[in-house]
Amino acid sequence: MEFIKSLAERVLNGEKLSKEDGLKILSIDDQYVMDLVEEAAKVREAVFKNQMEFCSLINAKNGACTEDCSFCAQSAHFKTPINAYSLVSKDQMLEGAEKAVMINANRYCIVVSGRRASKEEVQKIAEAVKEINKTYPVKVCCSLGTVDEEDLRLLKEAGVDRINHNLEASENFFKNIVTTHTWKERYETIKKVQKVGLSTCSGGIFGMGESDEDIVDLAMTYRDLNVDSIPLNFLMPIPGTPLGNAHNLTPLKCLKIVALFRLFNPNAEIRLCGGREANLKEYHDIAFEVANCLMAGGYLTRAGREPGKDEEMARRLGRYLVKNRENFNKNPLNA
């Protein structure tokens, strides 16, 4: 298809693909998906060369969340098979950082459940971050909900490198999966993160019943926001949640989504996270021709695959693992 064969050249020449282009990408016949992957891979290689980054997280506070996100095991609104606990100790956060380094993660994210971390929790996390930065060669990220500028500045001063705050879905679809807060609140939090000068990590979950238009809209929103890292999650249905029986994805549709986000966000780190193994299946490694980052060592409430397998994959693909606070040798387009 001529449309597919022109994609990399258009993006590498600085063109911003249109919404119509995005819808075409998601509707490409399955027999042409490998051609699409080849084009998206050209863009990844132009910007990130042969580099790959692992990140790791600690679920530092689990469950008892007041929000009703339909996909989430941690919501207090649903009966799910998890154990709720309050913020872990500083020592446990440091242990998590050590484990991250052991699996060659370049980033370590401290994640807490709830609409937002309390002032006391933010202070404790900031203290832990200071110790981590003194002790371990890893960049520290945080995912703490709708924190305010005061908290963000405190975290930045402590040495936090990046804040994760996912929009999860398009503005249009968001109300179908969350009713206790708005998409706009999440969007404004990302703007606050950027205002204080912290790096931004924001992504989505796919397979929740969203339309192709919703997927393209989210990719375009992240392009407009110019976020640094886009984690792509593929729904792993959790018993007890409203989406506990949802099965809306095929491996090839997942590949199309990964390619779409690369082509619409050529300078962003495309990071494959929750559900990558279960949903991409036999196309899992192929997706990393397009993506350049992954979450290793497990997810918030689900185990991932053995980190050693991800290292083996990186070697097979001829990729170089960025670690020990190295920076990507990134060659941004239109710099």
Side-chain angles (χ1 to χ4, degrees), residues 54-98:
F54 288 3
C55 66
S56 177
L57 62 76
I58 180 173
N59 190 359
K61 178 185 174 185
N62 191 44
C65 179
T66 59
E67 307 307 287
D68 66 353
C69 306
S70 298
F71 52 83
C72 187
Q74 301 198 61
S75 174
H77 294 258
F78 318 129
K79 292 183 178 180
T80 58
I82 66 164
N83 295 318
Y85 52 81
S86 57
L87 187 68
V88 300
S89 68
K90 181 169 70 174
D91 285 347
Q92 288 172 288
M93 292 186 219
L94 266 70
E95 287 171 10
E98 182 177 15

Side-chain angles (χ1 to χ4, degrees), residues 307-325:
K309 292 184 177 180
D310 288 324
E311 290 187 49
E312 290 172 8
M313 176 188 70
R315 284 194 290 271
R316 285 197 302 273
L317 295 174
R319 307 293 276 282
Y320 166 71
L321 283 185
V322 178
K323 53 188 176 180
N324 298 330
R325 290 185 180 154

Side-chain angles (χ1 to χ4, degrees), residues 44 71 100 150 232 283 304-305 334:
R44 187 269 306 158
F71 52 83
E150 179 184 27
L232 304 181
Y283 296 97
R305 72 176 187 169
N334 313 313

Side-chain angles (χ1 to χ4, degrees), residues 135-293:
T135 312
Y136 299 107
V138 67
K139 294 181 178 181
V140 184
C141 310
C142 289
S143 183
L144 310 178
T146 54
V147 287
D148 57 30
E149 284 186 39
E150 179 184 27
D151 290 338
L152 290 169
R153 293 185 192 282
L154 175 66
L155 292 165
K156 183 181 179 183
E157 290 171 7
V160 170
D161 176 72
R162 174 176 286 176
I163 297 292
N164 165 263
H165 195 64
N166 296 333
L167 290 176
E168 307 297 14
S170 71
E171 183 174 14
N172 176 67
F173 186 71
F174 189 84
K175 59 184 177 292
N176 296 310
I177 56 170
V178 183
T179 67
T180 48
H181 62 271
T182 66
W183 186 90
K184 192 70 172 177
E185 289 177 66
R186 303 189 73 83
Y187 182 90
E188 290 302 324
T189 296
I190 297 170
K191 298 295 287 185
K192 289 174 186 175
V193 172
Q194 293 176 326
K195 182 179 178 180
V196 303
L198 282 162
S199 178
T200 49
C201 177
S202 188
I205 301 176
F206 305 98
M208 300 187 292
E210 69 282 346
S211 67
D212 283 357
E213 185 173 2
D214 290 316
I215 297 171
V216 177
D217 283 348
L218 185 61
M220 294 179 73
T221 295
Y222 284 137
R223 183 172 68 189
D224 292 342
L225 282 168
N226 195 30
V227 300
D228 302 302
S229 171
I230 304 176
L232 304 181
N233 299 277
F234 304 101
L235 184 69
M236 293 186 286
I238 297 169
T241 66
L243 293 174
N245 295 313
H247 296 283
N248 299 310
L249 294 173
T250 66
L252 289 178
K253 183 58 175 283
C254 293
L255 268 185
K256 293 177 190 178
I257 292 170
V258 177
L260 172 85
F261 274 81
R262 167 56 68 214
L263 292 164
F264 271 71
N265 298 272
N267 293 321
E269 299 163 15
I270 301 300
R271 190 175 304 274
L272 301 191
C273 299
R276 58 185 171 97
E277 306 94 333
N279 285 280
L280 283 159
K281 298 186 187 302
E282 67 269 28
Y283 296 97
H284 178 273
D285 289 14
I286 292 172
F288 284 95
E289 297 289 352
V290 178
N292 62 302
C293 302

Side-chain angles (χ1 to χ4, degrees), residues 127-138 158 325:
E127 291 170 2
V129 171
K130 291 177 184 177
E131 290 296 318
I132 291 168
N133 278 320
K134 291 178 185 176
T135 312
Y136 299 107
V138 67
R325 290 185 180 154

